[in-house]
Every structure is written in C-alpha cells, then in structure tokens.
Amino acid sequence: MRSQIKLRLMLAGGVVLGLIVLLWWHSGFRDGLAPGASGEVPPAFAGRLAKPTPGPDPRPSDWHWLQRYFPYWKADPLAHLEALAQARQLRAAQAGAVEQRVWQLAGPTNIGGRVVDIEFNPRNPEIVYAAAATGGVFKSIDGGLSWFPVFDDQAVLPIGDIAVDPVNPMVVYVGTGEANGGHNNLPGGGVFKSTDGGATWQLVGLEQTVSIGRIVVDPKNPQRVFVAAVGSYFAPNPERGVYRSTDGGASWSQVLFVSDSTGAIDLVMDPLHPDTLLAAMWERVRRPTSAHLFGKTSGIYRSFDGGDSWQLLGPANGLPDPQTTNVGRIGLAMCQAQPQVVYALYNDGANYLGLFKTTNYGDSWIDADPDDEVSVGMAGFSWYFGQVRVHPLHPDTLYVLDTAFMWSTNGGATWNFNFGSSVLHVDHHALAFEPGNPSRIIVGNDGGINISSDGGLTWTKVAELPVTQFYEIGLDASNPQRLYGGTQDNGTLRTPTGALNDWEEILGGDGFYVIVHPTNPNIIYAESQFGVLRKSTNGGLTWVPALSGINGAEPTNWSTPVVMDPNNPEVLYYGTNRLYRTTNGATSWVPVSPKLTTIPPGNRLGTITTIAVAPTNSAVIYVGTDDANVWVTRDSGATWNAISSGLPQRWVTRVAVDPTADSVAYVTFSGLKWRDPQPHIFR
C-alpha cells in the first residue's frame, strides 16, 4: 500500500525534486493519507499530520513518557525489573497447578516493526541476529531469509544493540533498552550474554543503564567488552557513558563519564589496534515542560589506551563546536580495512548538521558533504536515526540511514537516495555487511528487514518478524476473523481473512483507533496521530475527513479516543478536552460536555484519553483523562459528575462498563512505581 517512490538523485535538480517528494511523503500520504483518500483535512487539524520535530513541545515523542511518569516525572529505576522477576516466579510456582491459557499468533508476518540492529556471525554468514525495538532478538540460519526468536524467555524485550564475539561467535551480547529516544522506547534491564548462539542467556550486569547504543568486543582479547550506555530518556542518571569489562561481562567499570544527562550513543574500535576507540556522547534532556536533544556536552571522545584515558575532539580538529552550535546525536563508522578512516554523522537535535571524515583517527576532519546533500533524505527528527556505515573494504563507499536510505560511492561527493517503495520501508536504523561479500547488505527499519545483493540498488523483502507495534486493535463484528489495528509508523492495518501473512495497510501515518460498523463492514472509521479522523464507506478503498464540528483549536491526545455507541452505530463519541457526539455517522459533531480536564491550557496534558458507553443504557457515558479525572453522565451529557475521589493521581488509560449493569464500571491507570505501591485497577 506504500507509494512506489524510488529516486536516485545525483544532480542539483534531482535534489530539489527529492526534497519535494520527501516533504510530501511526511506531510501527506505517510502521515495520514492513503491512495484513494479524498477531501481536505480541516486547517486546524492539518498540522497534526506531519511528523513532529524536537523542540519545546515534542508531544508525540513524549506521549508514552508522559503516560508512565505523570505526575512525579520520575520512577524507581529497578521497579520494573523487580516486577518482571516476580512475574517469572509466579509463573514457575503455578506451572502445572492451573490451566495455562494458550495464545495464538494473529500476525502480521508480512508487515514488520522497528528493527534497530543487525549482526552477522563473522565466521558463518548464514547466521544473522536481528534486534527489535520492543520484540527481543531473532536469529536466522539462512542468511536472513527467515527468522526465529531466541530471546523470548527473557523478561526484557526492548533491545538497543547486539554484538557477536569475533573469535568465538557462539558468544553473543545483547544490550537492552532501545537508544533512539522516541516515545515508544522502553527501558532495558542491562546486558545479557549467551555462550551457545542464543539458546540460553545470562544477565551480566549494567541493569540501570536504561538504554544501550552500542556493544563492541575486542577481536584480539574477546574478554574485553565495551558498552556505550545512553542512560535514561527522560531523567538524569549517572549510569551513562562507556563501560568496560575485562572478564567477558562478569564485572564492569565506567571508563568514560561526562554528565548525568549525557550518554554514549555510539562507539567504534580499530580491529587492528583495539586500544584505539572513538565514542560519541549525546546530551539528551526531556522534562515535563521543556526538552532539548542537543547540548554543550555532546561530542566525540578518543582513546588510544583501551579506555583508560579519553581526549575530547572538537573545533580544533575540524568538528562542530558544541559551545556555539547545537550538537545532538552523533553516529560513527570506521572502515575495517583502513580503520584510520572514520565518518561522523552530526545532527543539531532535530536536523542534519553535517557529515565529517577523518583519515587519521580524528586528528583532523573534513566536511564530507559540503553541499549538505544528505539533508534531502531527512525530515526534521534525525535524532531518531543517527546511523552511518562504511564499506569494510572501500572507505569511499558509505551509507547514511535516516528517513531515506542514502549511499555514496565517492566519499560523499554525490549521493543516491531511496525514499521508500512497495519493497523498502522508510526510517532506517540498522545495516550490516555480509562477511566475505559486503555487496550483500541487510537493513533494519520501521517496517522490518530488507536485503540487497548489489549494495543497495535493488531490494527484496523477507518474511517479517512479528514485532509490529500496535496502538489499538479493532474487530469486525460481522466477521471476527477480519482483524484491524492502528500501528506505529505502519498505519491502520487489516487482515481480511485472519491469516498471518495477508495484512494490508488501508490508511497511512501512525494508526490509532479503528472502528468497523457492526452490520455494514464497508463503513470504517480510522485515525492517525492527534485524532485526525477519517471515514470510509467502501471498505477502506477511499477515505473522507470526519471532523466537521470539532473545534481544531482544542487539544487532542496523540492517541485520541473514538468510540461507537454499542446500541446505535450512527452515534459515536470523540474526545478533545471535552466530549463530542455525532448522531449521523460523523457527518457532523456537537459538544456534549464542558471541559473535563483540569490542567491549564498550554500544558502537554489536558485531554480525554478514554470513553465508554454503557451497553445497557446509552445515556450512561464514562470518560477518563490524562490528568487523572474520571467523569460520568447518566443523561447523555446534559449533566456530568466527577467520580475521581479516592482514585490515584495518574493518567487514566481505560474506563469500561459492565455489560449487564451500567452502575458497575472499571478504570485503569498508567504510572510507574515511585514511592509506594499504588493500585492501578479499580471498580
């Protein structure tokens, strides 16, 4: 369902065309439109289609964080690990004592999710490992054509990086906690090690590093392992920087620390002289009222003594000065055959800042892209990517991974671009060269895994890993096998048959609530981020806006709730900071409540997050908000009663009504554990 765009831009005119296409991709089809969409989105909602850029109010980037950390903005760093350990103990204690519920995979296997790292076995290129953002680790034994999970028995499935021991490839390290800094990056629980190719795993420490950007193993002394720890996404913590183990992970020492807000996002090692390392440090601060993804402590550090001492490289070496320029995430790539050649990809906390090259381990750097041509393949949130790769044998062949897939064969003088196609997804995070055949590359992106056998000119798509990130799930009452769902960066998806491999994208952008008419499945309501709602009357072939009457100046949640009256499919409800109702299938809407949030306007909270209509009485409607309010009306919205007394001061995730009694309701809350074990489910 994706637009079939594949451009190779070599000339200035092509660059302009590519920029126009990329802006269209992000502001139009990819973030809310699909082929066949028609009509105009109301102007007040139009800006909600575009991908956000970091700055004072990066709401979508912080949505999951706000949900989990409200109202304390901090959490016990070990609470989730303790809870996961408790869950394992409970399962073990109940094994055989109670009936085990069996879950069946429903898919999709043909539409993937975000893959953040790819690593080959250096001795056997048929063996490959892939790291999923929230789905654990997968292994292939046929060169990446098919995959199976090897990490599912572990309690921590968000992955940052994988490293394979170059001397004994049966030894594999996994750093947990995705390091890309998006709203759906979940915290990790340290570094895990396998000595049998992924069959079993052992936790080897660094539990409080939260997110890990890179792991490298010394090829001459594989007991020496280095970890680049980014740290917390949203709070200062001292467990950041570069860690070193000299005993294969049994113990660790922090060998580079800059600040409790600056972590190590990338790390490269000279394979011929492993005492030579370069580390990229990223200052990244997000708070309830402010954020910046750059800072004066961002930069590249170099060590010639295996991490015992480090030197900061800066403007005297030809690199940007973080004291005068916004320096954000930095990606590093070292040529394996000529390790003195290193590339550094800089962004300014939002956009492309430059691509720099050294031929002397960083003593001096030149601008490898003086025309800033690489910026054509970016879309204002390059902190989400930050990956650069260089051919292991040819230092002038390099790749930049961002929204587009970009490559140069002349050291950055000219560039080729692939903005995505029906085969190749956009938003790239990982690339690995096949040992012995570096023209064959495997990439990981927000849509899964792709393989090229000609250095990136053409691509094939492999069977996807079942790691698609769903925001919401929808069902077709007239055909329960026909499943729907809204997903991260893969739009609104559907399987028409209930099969694993026939899912299709019917609406673009990030997908959220999707509702199918209970007796006429041709009528579908679906939305993209911030509540941009559309309606289809022909089974998803074409769509029209469905927001008439809703005040676009009112705040909407990243995942805006839309529900259908279970007794009348022409009646739907939609939440801003007040409740709206339509009685004519979204032809028009009218407000049926006052403002139901208490946070003052202008904050990043203050929206309705959940709506429930009583199945036994349509006049009874419950509403929950992100600022801890729960309300009920028993007269279709004429009057409202606050029923939050005694409930937690937490983000309300769901309200639900008993199917047989409208006076019985359930409410659930988000919020990580802080000072006390606050209950999260109430009746």
Side-chain angles (χ1 to χ4, degrees), residues 40-102:
E40 294 294 329
V41 176
F45 285 88
R48 302 178 189 184
L49 290 174
K51 272 285 184 184
T53 55
D57 187 25
R59 287 189 290 170
S61 303
D62 292 348
W63 177 73
H64 267 297
W65 171 62
L66 290 167
Q67 182 190 107
R68 297 192 300 266
Y69 282 77
F70 173 77
Y72 301 120
W73 312 121
K74 53 187 175 181
D76 180 345
L78 295 179
H80 74 291
L81 299 178
E82 294 168 356
L84 291 166
Q86 182 186 31
R88 286 198 300 271
Q89 294 170 0
L90 289 171
R91 284 195 295 271
Q94 295 177 356
V98 296
E99 179 184 357
Q100 297 297 310
R101 301 295 182 182
V102 178

Side-chain angles (χ1 to χ4, degrees), residues 75 93 116 146 160 190 197 269 290 391 394 427 512 550 588 615:
V116 297
S146 62
M269 172 188 285
S290 64
H391 193 286
H394 306 301
D427 292 359
F512 295 92
I550 294 174
S588 61

Side-chain angles (χ1 to χ4, degrees), residues 115-392:
V115 171
V116 297
D117 191 31
I118 303 283
E119 297 292 341
F120 277 92
N121 177 323
R123 303 282 182 90
N124 182 356
E126 294 297 300
I127 298 176
V128 198
Y129 298 89
T134 53
V137 178
F138 291 77
K139 183 177 181 178
S140 173
I141 57 174
D142 56 11
L145 300 179
S146 62
W147 301 84
F148 55 93
V150 294
F151 205 72
D152 282 6
D153 289 340
Q154 308 311 308
V156 187
L157 294 183
I159 309 300
D161 194 55
I162 302 172
V164 180
D165 186 328
V167 177
N168 179 8
M170 293 298 286
V171 175
V172 183
Y173 294 88
V174 168
T176 59
E178 186 186 358
N180 289 319
H183 71 271
N184 47 23
N185 292 175
L186 298 175
V191 176
F192 290 75
K193 179 181 180 180
S194 174
T195 58
D196 50 18
T200 60
W201 298 88
Q202 176 188 3
L203 175 64
V204 293
L206 301 183
E207 291 93 328
Q208 296 191 53
T209 52
V210 182
S211 57
I212 290 174
R214 193 73 70 217
I215 303 176
V216 295
V217 181
D218 185 337
K220 295 189 175 181
N221 176 15
Q223 290 296 104
R224 192 166 68 161
V225 184
F226 293 84
V227 168
V230 189
S232 173
Y233 314 112
F234 304 111
N237 72 306
E239 293 82 12
R240 301 174 187 260
V242 177
Y243 288 82
R244 179 181 64 197
S245 174
T246 57
D247 50 19
S251 62
W252 299 90
S253 59
Q254 189 182 44
V255 294
L256 177 59
F257 173 78
V258 173
S259 81
D260 62 4
S261 296
T262 305
I265 184 63
D266 212 345
L267 184 67
V268 292
M269 172 188 285
D270 183 341
L272 306 178
H273 304 94
D275 278 346
T276 299
L277 303 107
L278 279 81
M281 305 300 289
W282 180 18
E283 181 176 320
R284 181 178 69 181
V285 175
R286 281 181 165 167
R287 301 290 182 267
T289 57
S290 64
H292 65 268
L293 302 177
F294 59 87
K296 298 183 184 302
T297 58
S298 296
I300 297 175
Y301 286 75
R302 180 179 63 186
S303 176
F304 285 129
D305 53 16
D308 289 338
S309 62
W310 297 84
Q311 173 194 3
L312 174 63
L313 306 179
N317 308 98
L319 292 171
D321 185 356
Q323 307 305 312
T324 58
T325 304
N326 293 344
V327 174
R329 182 171 182 166
I330 303 168
L332 297 174
M334 176 180 282
C335 180
Q336 297 300 292
Q338 300 182 40
Q340 71 274 16
V341 177
V342 182
Y343 290 89
L345 176 67
Y346 274 68
N347 82 74
D348 64 4
N351 300 299
Y352 176 61
L353 186 57
L355 178 66
F356 300 88
K357 177 183 180 180
T358 178
T359 57
N360 50 24
Y361 293 109
D363 283 341
S364 60
W365 299 77
I366 61 170
D367 188 345
D369 181 30
D371 297 329
D372 290 341
E373 193 175 356
V374 167
S375 65
V376 172
M378 302 180 175
F381 54 109
S382 290
W383 50 265
Y384 183 54
F385 308 104
Q387 302 289 341
V388 57
R389 298 288 188 272
V390 58
H391 193 286

